[in-house]
């Protein structure tokens, strides 16, 4: 059996899944007690290797030099940036998914990790299948691989100076440990010399997933792919609509979230394309395997679900809820929604009376067409939980504590004047109320996104109190808890950092205002590049004797994010 059919020079991508799959192929026989030269393993061809972290290609440099990911342009065939990859999994002394790499330009030089050293070298040292210093264990999915040195059991990463180091205890899918393999040439393997070789297992090629599939539980699924986005409609074997799923396609992997049309069941899913079937690799969907079928005769793709309590099918995730809404009984509500990130708040809804007086604030998160969160009264700090759904263009309350409204619809006629401070029933005499004691507590929560596995997270709380004298009539007095010259900095996993600073000011009535700016950075250290900014703006106005709370969510296109929750208390000093 042969994975590689003929030599060629055109560059082509090859998936890590396909590389690792070759570990089960036959290799030349050898003594059970001694390792053999790695070139007696199965050659998978010549590759250029790019670091996912810095988007640079790995270069061999000079003899006995450290390997570096420092080439901007793809190395030319036969140059020092091209390496031959050998599968040695079935040779003596090796384990499953064991590989070795050598220089194409200098074939006697192999990738190597020496004793008591994490540096990955290109070394003139004979690679053998039982020599841990010159062999590596690989894992990966969808065109990306992580390599683990058998010498120290550490995973390879790209260091700040672009050197490759075997120094990561657990890659967790981190970009710094991910390398992209692209094939430059393919060479025939020993099995091709056999008179009648069997058909070769080939890497999964991009295929059209659109159409009908049947699950191992006889449920039916219709898949529709648009670019990297996928929508899956699920049906019972009887043809009754069951659920709808949305997600993304990434190589051989499709993943996302599913929602039942009835009874509110929901969850996540992940399937991998293997030998023409979709196999479950993650999530809580009960279906384990999907196989392609012809269009079923008993299913209408546009059929509407029939639940115990009739209700319309769940809407797809609304693209934009921002703007003004009117309650079915009273009040007006302003919604600010940001990009949906699993597990993070991205929804704010401020309620006002018909006359424009701030009533309450709801902070929550969206998931599909559903919003879950907690509302807090602006003046007396009463609070409660609430769950909303988007149905036929309206917001509908489905559960939670008592509220004045149960439905909200969009409106173009909000109150003309908004009052964000609470009314004072018993104004304090000016002579008795000359100072305000302001206390700020903020909690910073960072998510360091991992592309293949679980995310790293971190949380830290900061507190500070200051006292401000009330200004003269119509005046304003400014200060700061954490000014821009002494901003708060918090870093997670030595890669993702947030900076934030604030301004606070009071008016002659003692009302306290808070403005903030938050920035997010990511890189190979805490001194990374800027990936997101919450531009400075006022977020809170708190009357004397009151406490206000506001949450700033800052997602990024990189996947990492920060959420800062501010709690400001305003007490009058007598």
């Amino acid at each position: 059996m042969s994975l590689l059919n003929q030599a060629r020079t055109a560059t082509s991508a090859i998936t890590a899944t396909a590389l690792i799959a070759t570990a089960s192929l036959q290799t030349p026989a050898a003594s059970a007690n001694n390792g053999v030269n790695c070139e007696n393993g199965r050659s998978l061809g010549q590759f250029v290797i790019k670091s996912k972290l810095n988007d640079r290609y790995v270069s061999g440099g000079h003899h006995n030099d450290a390997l570096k990911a420092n080439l901007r342009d793809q190395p030319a065939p036969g140059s020092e940036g091209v390496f031959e990859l050998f599968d040695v999994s079935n040779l003596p002394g090796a384990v499953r998914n064991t590989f070795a790499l050598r220089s194409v330009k200098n074939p006697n030089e192999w990738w190597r990790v020496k004793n008591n050293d994490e540096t990955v070298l290109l070394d003139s040292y004979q690679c053998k299948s039982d020599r841990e210093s010159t062999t590596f264990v690989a894992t990966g999915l969808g065109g990306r691989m992580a390599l683990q040195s058998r010498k120290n059991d550490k995973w390879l990463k790209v260091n700040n100076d672009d050197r490759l180091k075997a120094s990561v205890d657990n890659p967790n899918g981190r970009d710094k440990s991910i390398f992209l393999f692209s094939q430059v040439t393919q060479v025939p393997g020993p099995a091709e010399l056999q008179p009648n070789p069997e058909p070769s297992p080939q890497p999964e090629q991009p295929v059209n997933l659109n159409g009908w599939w049947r699950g191992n539980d006889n449920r039916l699924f219709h898949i529709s792919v648009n670019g990297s986005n996928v929508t899956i409609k699920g049906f019972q074997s009887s043809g009754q609509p069951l659920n709808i799923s949305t997600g993304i396609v990434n190589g051989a992997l499709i993943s996302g979230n599913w929602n039942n049309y009835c009874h509110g069941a929901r969850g996540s899913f992940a399937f991998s394309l293997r030998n023409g079937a979709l196999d479950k690799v993650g999530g809580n969907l009960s279906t384990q395997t999907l196989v392609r079928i012809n269009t079923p005769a008993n299913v209408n793709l546009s059929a509407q679900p029939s639940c115990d309590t009739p209700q319309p099918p769940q809407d797809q995730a609304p693209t934009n809820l921002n703007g003004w809404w009117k309650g079915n009984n009273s009040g007006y509500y302003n919604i600010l929604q940001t990009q949906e990130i699993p597990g993070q708040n991205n929804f704010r809804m401020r309620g006002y009376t018909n006359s424009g007086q701030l009533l309450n604030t709801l902070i929550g998160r969206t998931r599909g067409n559903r919003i879950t969160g907690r509302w807090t009264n602006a003046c007396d700090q009463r609070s409660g939980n609430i769950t909303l759904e988007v149905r036929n263009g309206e917001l509908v309350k489905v559960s939670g504590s008592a509220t004045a409204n149960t439905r909200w619809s969009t409106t173009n006629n909000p109150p003309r004047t908004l009052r964000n401070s609470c009314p004072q029933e018993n104004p304090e005499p000016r002579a008795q109320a000359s100072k305000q004691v302001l206390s700020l507590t903020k909690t910073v929560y960072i998510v360091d996104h991992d592309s293949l596995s679980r995310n790293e997270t971190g949380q830290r709380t900061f507190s500070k109190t200051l006292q401000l004298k009330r200004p003269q009539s119509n005046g304003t007095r400014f200060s700061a808890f954490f000014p821009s010259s002494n901003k708060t900095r918090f870093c997670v996993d030595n890669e993702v950092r947030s900076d934030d600073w604030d301004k606070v000011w009071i008016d002659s009535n003692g009302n306290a205002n808070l403005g903030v700016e938050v920035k997010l950075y990511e890189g190979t250290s805490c001194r990374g590049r800027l990936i997101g900014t919450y531009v400075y703006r006022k977020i809170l106005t708190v009357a004397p004797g009151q406490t206000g709370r506001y949450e700033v969510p800052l997602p990024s296109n990189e996947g990492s994010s920060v959420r800062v929750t501010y709690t400001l208390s305003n007490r009058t000093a007598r």
Side-chain angles (χ1 to χ4, degrees):
M1 298 187 300
S2 170
L3 173 64
L4 310 169
N5 298 322
Q6 58 184 359
R8 62 184 183 184
T9 57
T11 300
S12 63
I14 186 167
T15 67
T17 306
L19 291 175
I20 294 174
T22 64
S24 63
L25 299 178
Q26 294 181 355
T27 54
S31 167
N33 298 320
N34 300 309
V36 299
N37 292 348
C38 293
E39 56 266 35
N40 290 323
R42 185 170 188 78
S43 175
L44 302 180
Q46 298 177 8
F47 294 83
V48 292
I49 303 169
K50 181 190 286 188
S51 164
K52 180 70 167 55
L53 176 66
N54 66 4
D55 202 34
R56 303 286 179 89
Y57 290 92
V58 175
S59 171
H62 302 289
H63 160 65
N64 220 10
D65 238 359
L67 290 159
K68 292 184 177 181
N70 60 355
L71 298 180
R72 294 180 181 272
D73 299 323
Q74 179 173 310
S79 69
E80 62 185 20
V82 181
F83 303 93
E84 187 172 3
L85 181 66
F86 290 87
D87 171 21
V88 298
S89 300
N90 289 332
L91 295 182
V95 296
R96 185 181 180 186
N97 298 339
T98 299
F99 296 88
L101 293 120
R102 74 175 178 184
S103 169
V104 170
K105 185 175 181 179
N106 301 297
N108 64 324
E109 296 183 356
W110 296 82
W111 286 32
R112 184 186 180 199
V113 176
K114 289 186 176 181
N115 289 327
N116 303 318
D117 191 357
E118 297 176 337
T119 302
V120 185
L121 303 173
L122 191 63
D123 196 5
S124 295
Y125 187 74
Q126 179 58 56
C127 175
K128 289 184 177 289
S129 56
D130 62 344
R131 283 183 175 168
E132 296 179 343
S133 66
T134 54
T135 54
F136 303 84
V137 174
T139 185
L141 180 68
R144 297 181 283 193
M145 290 180 68
L147 298 172
Q148 182 184 30
S149 169
R150 296 179 66 203
K151 187 64 178 178
N152 63 5
D153 293 327
K154 303 281 188 178
W155 295 83
L156 273 59
K157 74 164 188 175
V158 176
N159 217 29
N160 292 338
D161 58 2
D162 296 332
R163 292 171 180 253
L164 270 62
K165 293 276 191 176
S167 60
V168 177
D169 290 320
N170 186 350
N172 284 334
R174 312 191 59 76
D175 285 348
K176 67 183 179 185
S177 302
I178 302 303
F179 297 89
L180 309 179
F181 281 65
S182 294
Q183 195 153 15
V184 176
T185 62
Q186 290 181 327
V187 298
E192 289 188 24
L193 302 178
Q194 298 176 7
N196 297 304
E198 300 178 21
S200 309
Q202 298 290 332
E204 292 283 4
Q205 301 296 319
V207 296
N208 182 6
L209 296 176
N210 292 320
W212 286 96
W213 300 71
R214 184 187 301 277
N216 62 297
D217 51 7
N218 286 324
R219 289 175 174 171
L220 305 171
F221 298 86
H222 183 269
I223 298 179
S224 177
V225 178
N226 182 12
S228 61
N229 298 314
V230 62
T231 300
I232 306 175
K233 292 185 177 181
F235 298 82
Q236 300 282 16
S237 58
S238 63
Q240 172 67 27
L242 175 64
N243 56 36
I244 188 164
S245 306
T246 56
I248 59 173
V249 179
N250 183 9
L253 183 71
I254 61 173
S255 59
N257 296 310
W258 60 270
N259 296 271
N260 270 11
Y261 287 118
C262 306
H263 315 308
R266 61 187 64 238
S268 61
F269 72 90
F271 285 88
S272 180
L273 183 63
R274 298 170 180 170
N275 300 321
L278 288 169
D279 292 335
K280 177 181 174 180
V281 294
N284 60 349
L285 195 66
S286 59
T287 304
Q288 301 294 314
T289 303
L290 299 174
V291 294
R292 193 184 291 275
I293 61 172
N294 294 325
T295 302
N298 64 326
V299 179
N300 179 1
L301 190 57
S302 60
Q304 300 298 306
S306 176
C307 304
D308 295 339
T309 302
Q311 65 181 36
Q314 295 185 14
D315 295 347
Q316 293 297 306
T319 57
N320 188 358
L321 296 175
N322 293 328
W324 283 97
W325 298 68
K326 191 177 189 306
N328 62 316
N329 290 319
S330 64
Y332 293 86
Y333 296 79
N334 183 257
I335 291 178
L336 175 63
Q337 177 190 7
T338 59
Q339 177 187 355
E340 181 175 327
I341 297 179
Q344 296 194 35
N345 291 336
N346 66 320
F347 181 90
R348 187 197 73 189
M349 183 175 179
R350 281 183 173 172
Y352 295 84
T353 65
N354 290 339
S355 63
Q357 173 64 50
L358 180 64
L359 180 63
N360 54 39
T361 300
L362 164 63
I363 298 294
R365 63 192 62 171
T366 61
R367 185 173 182 180
N369 72 315
R370 178 167 287 203
I371 301 106
T372 57
R374 188 170 183 84
W375 59 266
T376 303
N377 190 283
C379 294
D380 61 18
Q381 298 303 299
R382 289 184 300 110
S383 62
N385 296 321
I386 192 169
T387 300
L388 308 174
E389 280 189 357
V390 182
R391 297 180 183 173
N392 297 324
E394 286 189 327
L395 279 174
V396 179
K397 177 183 175 182
V398 295
S399 65
S401 51
T403 55
N405 298 291
T406 56
R407 286 181 175 271
W408 295 260
S409 56
T410 57
T411 180
N412 293 321
N413 298 300
R416 292 185 178 182
T417 303
L418 300 179
R419 298 185 299 280
N420 289 318
S421 60
C422 297
Q424 300 301 302
E425 297 180 358
N426 298 305
E428 301 169 353
R430 181 65 54 88
Q432 297 181 6
S434 60
K435 296 180 181 180
Q436 298 303 130
V437 179
L438 308 178
S439 297
L440 178 69
T441 299
K442 61 181 176 183
T443 300
V444 183
Y445 179 79
I446 291 179
V447 176
D448 182 3
H449 175 68
D450 290 337
S451 55
L452 292 182
S453 185
R454 66 180 180 87
N455 296 332
E456 297 289 336
T457 61
Q459 180 172 298
R460 181 173 294 178
T461 299
F462 304 84
S463 297
K464 198 169 184 179
T465 299
L466 54 84
Q467 185 171 280
L468 289 181
K469 184 178 180 180
R470 288 191 185 184
Q472 298 296 323
S473 179
N474 298 323
T476 304
R477 191 174 302 280
F478 287 87
S479 186
F481 293 97
F482 302 93
S484 58
S485 59
N486 188 29
K487 58 182 65 120
T488 302
R489 292 185 173 179
F490 177 42
C491 185
V492 169
D493 202 30
N494 201 36
E495 287 189 356
V496 178
R497 183 187 97 232
S498 72
D499 291 356
D500 73 285
W501 58 273
D502 61 74
K503 286 183 180 179
V504 63
W505 63 99
I506 62 172
D507 58 26
S508 57
N509 294 319
N511 296 311
N513 303 275
L514 180 67
V516 301
E517 179 170 285
V518 183
K519 291 188 176 182
L520 186 64
Y521 300 82
E522 184 169 25
T524 57
S525 69
C526 289
R527 300 180 63 182
R529 60 187 177 87
L530 180 67
I531 61 173
T533 300
Y534 181 88
V535 180
Y536 175 80
R537 71 192 71 175
K538 184 176 78 170
I539 61 170
L540 280 173
T541 298
V542 180
Q546 303 295 329
T547 298
R549 181 177 178 273
Y550 190 88
E551 193 169 85
V552 173
L554 178 56
S556 74
N557 293 331
E558 311 290 331
S560 296
S561 62
V562 61
R563 184 176 74 245
V564 187
T565 304
Y566 297 87
T567 303
L568 177 63
S569 297
N570 183 1
R571 178 174 61 85
T572 301
R574 302 186 181 278

